[in-house]
Amino acid sequence: MNKTNWLNYWDKKNIWTKSDLWKKNIELFFQKTSNIFDYDKKNTVLDIGCGNGDFANKILDKVDQVFCVDTSQEYINICKTRFSNSKNINVLKLSKDYTDLSFIKNIKFSIIIANSVVQYYNSQKEIINLVKSVQKIAAKNALLLISDIEVFSDKKKSYLKLIHNSIINGYFFSLIKMGLKLIVNKEYSKTKQNQPLLIVNLDKLIQDLSIFVKKVTIINENITINVDRKHLLIQL
Protein backbone atom coordinates (compact mmCIF):
# COMPACT_ATOMS: atom_id res chain seq x y z
CA MET A 1 0.00 0.00 0.00
CA ASN A 2 1.28 3.45 -0.84
CA LYS A 3 2.57 5.05 2.37
CA THR A 4 1.40 8.48 1.28
CA ASN A 5 -2.29 7.64 0.88
CA TRP A 6 -5.10 9.16 2.93
CA LEU A 7 -5.47 6.18 5.26
CA ASN A 8 -1.94 6.68 6.46
CA TYR A 9 -2.23 10.46 6.54
CA TRP A 10 -5.21 10.43 8.91
CA ASP A 11 -3.73 7.65 11.04
CA LYS A 12 -1.33 10.03 12.76
CA LYS A 13 -1.27 13.55 14.14
CA ASN A 14 -1.87 16.17 11.50
CA ILE A 15 -2.63 19.86 11.10
CA TRP A 16 -6.42 19.35 11.14
CA THR A 17 -6.86 17.69 14.53
CA LYS A 18 -7.01 20.83 16.64
CA SER A 19 -7.63 23.39 13.92
CA ASP A 20 -10.05 26.26 14.49
CA LEU A 21 -11.36 25.83 10.94
CA TRP A 22 -12.39 22.23 11.64
CA LYS A 23 -14.28 23.36 14.73
CA LYS A 24 -16.02 26.11 12.75
CA ASN A 25 -16.97 23.56 10.10
CA ILE A 26 -18.52 21.24 12.69
CA GLU A 27 -20.44 24.13 14.26
CA LEU A 28 -21.87 25.07 10.86
CA PHE A 29 -22.62 21.44 10.03
CA PHE A 30 -24.46 20.90 13.31
CA GLN A 31 -26.44 24.12 12.91
CA LYS A 32 -27.51 23.33 9.35
CA THR A 33 -28.27 19.64 9.88
CA SER A 34 -30.44 20.44 12.90
CA ASN A 35 -32.95 21.59 10.27
CA ILE A 36 -32.73 18.17 8.60
CA PHE A 37 -32.61 15.75 11.54
CA ASP A 38 -34.33 15.52 14.88
CA TYR A 39 -31.39 15.24 17.23
CA ASP A 40 -33.45 13.83 20.09
CA LYS A 41 -33.57 10.83 22.41
CA LYS A 42 -35.51 8.78 19.86
CA ASN A 43 -32.45 8.60 17.64
CA THR A 44 -29.33 6.47 17.56
CA VAL A 45 -26.61 8.06 15.42
CA LEU A 46 -23.73 6.53 13.49
CA ASP A 47 -20.90 8.98 12.77
CA ILE A 48 -18.74 7.50 10.00
CA GLY A 49 -15.30 9.11 9.94
CA CYS A 50 -15.77 10.69 13.36
CA GLY A 51 -12.34 12.32 13.49
CA ASN A 52 -11.59 13.93 16.83
CA GLY A 53 -15.21 13.62 17.97
CA ASP A 54 -16.29 17.26 17.67
CA PHE A 55 -19.61 16.34 16.04
CA ALA A 56 -20.36 13.57 18.53
CA ASN A 57 -19.67 16.05 21.31
CA LYS A 58 -22.30 18.38 19.83
CA ILE A 59 -25.08 15.80 19.90
CA LEU A 60 -24.22 13.44 22.76
CA ASP A 61 -26.63 15.11 25.22
CA LYS A 62 -29.41 15.29 22.65
CA VAL A 63 -29.65 11.76 21.22
CA ASP A 64 -29.94 8.30 22.72
CA GLN A 65 -26.60 6.90 21.53
CA VAL A 66 -23.75 7.87 19.23
CA PHE A 67 -21.45 5.34 17.59
CA CYS A 68 -18.19 6.93 16.43
CA VAL A 69 -16.25 4.94 13.82
CA ASP A 70 -13.02 5.79 12.03
CA THR A 71 -10.11 4.15 10.22
CA SER A 72 -7.58 6.19 12.19
CA GLN A 73 -6.15 4.72 15.38
CA GLU A 74 -5.02 8.25 16.26
CA TYR A 75 -8.61 9.52 16.24
CA ILE A 76 -9.95 6.38 17.90
CA ASN A 77 -7.56 6.98 20.80
CA ILE A 78 -8.55 10.66 21.00
CA CYS A 79 -12.27 9.80 21.06
CA LYS A 80 -11.89 7.01 23.62
CA THR A 81 -10.10 9.41 25.94
CA ARG A 82 -12.48 12.28 25.25
CA PHE A 83 -15.63 10.24 25.82
CA SER A 84 -14.37 7.90 28.54
CA ASN A 85 -17.04 9.22 30.93
CA SER A 86 -19.87 9.38 28.37
CA LYS A 87 -22.08 6.30 28.70
CA ASN A 88 -23.94 6.87 25.43
CA ILE A 89 -20.84 7.20 23.22
CA ASN A 90 -19.35 4.10 21.60
CA VAL A 91 -16.03 4.31 19.75
CA LEU A 92 -15.15 1.60 17.22
CA LYS A 93 -12.35 1.21 14.68
CA LEU A 94 -13.04 0.50 11.03
CA SER A 95 -10.97 -2.15 9.28
CA LYS A 96 -8.98 -1.52 6.11
CA ASP A 97 -12.21 -2.32 4.29
CA TYR A 98 -13.68 0.92 5.59
CA THR A 99 -17.01 0.44 3.81
CA ASP A 100 -17.74 -2.75 5.78
CA LEU A 101 -19.92 -2.07 8.85
CA SER A 102 -20.94 -5.68 9.47
CA PHE A 103 -18.97 -5.74 12.73
CA ILE A 104 -21.65 -3.53 14.33
CA LYS A 105 -24.14 -5.95 15.85
CA ASN A 106 -27.62 -5.64 17.35
CA ILE A 107 -27.97 -1.90 16.69
CA LYS A 108 -30.30 -0.16 14.26
CA PHE A 109 -29.40 3.42 13.38
CA SER A 110 -31.96 6.07 12.54
CA ILE A 111 -29.41 8.76 11.58
CA ILE A 112 -26.16 7.99 9.77
CA ILE A 113 -23.60 10.70 9.00
CA ALA A 114 -20.65 10.48 6.61
CA ASN A 115 -19.40 14.05 6.68
CA SER A 116 -16.33 14.96 4.62
CA VAL A 117 -15.36 11.32 4.17
CA VAL A 118 -15.97 9.97 0.67
CA GLN A 119 -13.57 12.37 -1.05
CA TYR A 120 -10.81 10.20 0.45
CA TYR A 121 -12.19 6.99 -1.08
CA ASN A 122 -10.50 5.23 -3.99
CA SER A 123 -13.53 4.96 -6.24
CA GLN A 124 -17.19 5.82 -6.64
CA LYS A 125 -18.00 2.13 -6.25
CA GLU A 126 -16.81 2.32 -2.65
CA ILE A 127 -19.53 4.88 -1.94
CA ILE A 128 -22.11 2.41 -3.27
CA ASN A 129 -20.59 -0.30 -1.05
CA LEU A 130 -20.81 1.98 1.97
CA VAL A 131 -24.49 2.74 1.39
CA LYS A 132 -25.28 -0.96 0.98
CA SER A 133 -23.43 -1.70 4.21
CA VAL A 134 -25.27 1.10 6.04
CA GLN A 135 -28.58 -0.21 4.74
CA LYS A 136 -28.07 -3.48 6.62
CA ILE A 137 -27.80 -1.74 9.99
CA ALA A 138 -30.34 1.02 9.39
CA ALA A 139 -33.69 1.33 11.14
CA LYS A 140 -36.88 1.63 9.12
CA ASN A 141 -36.94 4.94 7.19
CA ALA A 142 -33.46 5.81 8.46
CA LEU A 143 -31.65 8.76 6.90
CA LEU A 144 -28.07 8.75 5.65
CA LEU A 145 -26.31 12.04 4.93
CA ILE A 146 -23.22 11.92 2.74
CA SER A 147 -21.82 15.43 2.78
CA ASP A 148 -18.84 17.25 1.25
CA ILE A 149 -18.88 15.25 -1.98
CA GLU A 150 -16.21 16.56 -4.35
CA VAL A 151 -17.49 17.34 -7.85
CA PHE A 152 -16.09 19.22 -10.83
CA SER A 153 -16.44 22.95 -10.18
CA ASP A 154 -15.05 26.35 -11.08
CA LYS A 155 -12.33 26.59 -8.44
CA LYS A 156 -11.78 30.33 -8.89
CA LYS A 157 -15.44 31.09 -8.19
CA SER A 158 -15.45 28.59 -5.33
CA TYR A 159 -12.47 30.22 -3.63
CA LEU A 160 -14.04 33.67 -3.92
CA LYS A 161 -17.31 32.37 -2.48
CA LEU A 162 -15.44 30.56 0.27
CA ILE A 163 -13.69 33.77 1.30
CA HIS A 164 -16.96 35.72 1.12
CA ASN A 165 -18.75 33.17 3.30
CA SER A 166 -15.86 33.06 5.78
CA ILE A 167 -16.10 36.82 6.30
CA ILE A 168 -19.89 36.72 6.75
CA ASN A 169 -19.79 33.74 9.13
CA GLY A 170 -16.75 34.79 11.15
CA TYR A 171 -14.10 32.25 10.22
CA PHE A 172 -11.99 34.29 7.76
CA PHE A 173 -8.85 34.28 9.94
CA SER A 174 -9.23 30.56 10.66
CA LEU A 175 -9.49 29.97 6.91
CA ILE A 176 -6.39 32.03 6.09
CA LYS A 177 -4.43 30.38 8.91
CA MET A 178 -5.28 26.88 7.68
CA GLY A 179 -4.70 27.87 4.05
CA LEU A 180 -1.14 28.94 4.87
CA LYS A 181 -0.53 25.71 6.78
CA LEU A 182 -1.73 23.65 3.83
CA ILE A 183 0.58 25.49 1.45
CA VAL A 184 3.69 24.73 3.50
CA ASN A 185 2.67 21.30 4.80
CA LYS A 186 4.65 18.83 2.70
CA GLU A 187 2.92 15.72 4.01
CA TYR A 188 -0.56 16.97 3.10
CA SER A 189 0.61 18.09 -0.37
CA LYS A 190 2.43 14.81 -1.03
CA THR A 191 -0.59 12.75 0.03
CA LYS A 192 -2.94 14.77 -2.17
CA GLN A 193 -0.55 14.38 -5.09
CA ASN A 194 -0.29 10.60 -4.65
CA GLN A 195 -4.01 10.07 -4.02
CA PRO A 196 -6.04 12.97 -5.41
CA LEU A 197 -9.44 13.62 -3.88
CA LEU A 198 -12.17 11.51 -5.45
CA ILE A 199 -14.21 13.50 -7.98
CA VAL A 200 -17.74 12.11 -8.07
CA ASN A 201 -20.07 11.91 -11.04
CA LEU A 202 -23.11 12.94 -9.02
CA ASP A 203 -25.74 12.05 -11.62
CA LYS A 204 -24.30 8.55 -11.99
CA LEU A 205 -24.07 8.12 -8.22
CA ILE A 206 -27.70 9.12 -7.73
CA GLN A 207 -28.76 6.81 -10.56
CA ASP A 208 -26.89 3.86 -9.00
CA LEU A 209 -28.20 4.57 -5.49
CA SER A 210 -31.80 4.94 -6.65
CA ILE A 211 -31.84 1.28 -7.64
CA PHE A 212 -31.77 0.07 -4.03
CA VAL A 213 -32.67 2.99 -1.70
CA LYS A 214 -36.06 4.65 -1.21
CA LYS A 215 -35.08 8.23 -2.06
CA VAL A 216 -32.04 10.38 -2.83
CA THR A 217 -32.18 14.16 -2.41
CA ILE A 218 -29.53 16.75 -3.22
CA ILE A 219 -29.18 19.32 -0.46
CA ASN A 220 -28.45 22.59 -2.21
CA GLU A 221 -27.80 24.59 0.95
CA ASN A 222 -24.20 24.99 2.15
CA ILE A 223 -24.07 22.77 5.23
CA THR A 224 -20.26 22.88 5.50
CA ILE A 225 -17.66 25.55 4.80
CA ASN A 226 -16.82 23.86 1.47
CA VAL A 227 -19.04 25.85 -0.85
CA ASP A 228 -18.24 23.82 -3.98
CA ARG A 229 -19.11 20.43 -2.47
CA LYS A 230 -22.41 18.57 -2.82
CA HIS A 231 -24.49 16.76 -0.21
CA LEU A 232 -26.86 13.80 -0.56
CA LEU A 233 -29.64 12.88 1.84
CA ILE A 234 -30.62 9.25 1.40
CA GLN A 235 -33.72 7.59 2.79
CA LEU A 236 -32.94 3.92 3.34
Side-chain angles (χ1 to χ4, degrees), residues 17-32:
T17 307
K18 294 182 179 180
S19 74
D20 294 336
L21 189 62
W22 205 349
K23 290 185 181 299
K24 293 287 185 182
N25 192 40
I26 292 298
E27 288 172 7
L28 177 63
F29 182 77
F30 170 70
Q31 175 193 343
K32 296 295 186 179

Side-chain angles (χ1 to χ4, degrees), residues 76-85:
I76 292 296
N77 294 341
I78 288 173
C79 286
K80 283 186 174 180
T81 300
R82 184 174 188 175
F83 301 120
S84 59
N85 296 319

Side-chain angles (χ1 to χ4, degrees), residues 98-130:
Y98 40 77
T99 67
D100 181 12
L101 301 169
S102 61
F103 65 94
I104 302 177
K105 306 292 185 181
N106 304 317
I107 298 290
K108 291 294 183 181
F109 297 96
S110 50
I111 298 173
I112 303 98
I113 304 289
N115 179 33
S116 202
V117 169
V118 300
Q119 68 267 34
Y120 303 113
Y121 282 12
N122 289 300
S123 68
Q124 195 156 313
K125 184 179 178 182
E126 289 187 339
I127 303 176
I128 301 295
N129 292 342
L130 176 71

Side-chain angles (χ1 to χ4, degrees), residues 6-8 16-17 25 44 53 56 58 70 115 121 123 133 140 145-146 180 186 194 201 203 209 211 218 230:
W6 289 114
L7 280 179
N8 287 282
W16 291 98
T17 307
N25 192 40
T44 298
K58 283 282 187 184
D70 208 293
N115 179 33
Y121 282 12
S123 68
S133 190
K140 185 178 180 181
L145 176 61
I146 303 178
L180 292 173
K186 292 181 180 179
N194 279 276
N201 181 331
D203 290 338
L209 290 173
I211 295 171
I218 299 175
K230 297 296 182 180

